[in-house]
Amino acid sequence: MVVARATPLKAGPADNAEIVAMLAPGDIIEVLDLAHGQAWGKAPGHGLAGYAARADLEPVVPERP
């Protein structure tokens, strides 16, 4: 998925979980699980894994040749 709006990447799903990075619009997150409004996955641009708000992410749409 791609980040649509700046959003924190958190160490856990709780609202008060530690923020490990800030994801910027256009950043990629490789989502491994979706639950309770959260996406858990890897942010390869940051070399980290964590939770991001599902509402701030959009599917990646491949370009047509």
Side-chain angles (χ1 to χ4, degrees):
M1 299 189 92
V2 66
V3 177
R5 289 172 290 289
T7 192
L9 183 69
K10 298 181 185 179
D15 289 340
N16 62 348
E18 175 188 1
I19 296 172
V20 296
M22 285 301 295
L23 302 177
D27 283 354
I28 297 295
I29 182 167
E30 298 171 355
V31 175
L32 303 171
D33 190 30
L34 293 169
H36 309 290
Q38 297 289 316
W40 177 71
K42 300 185 300 183
H46 294 272
L48 298 168
Y51 293 81
R54 169 64 184 94
D56 294 333
L57 308 177
E58 294 179 345
V60 174
V61 179
E63 293 184 25
R64 294 181 184 245

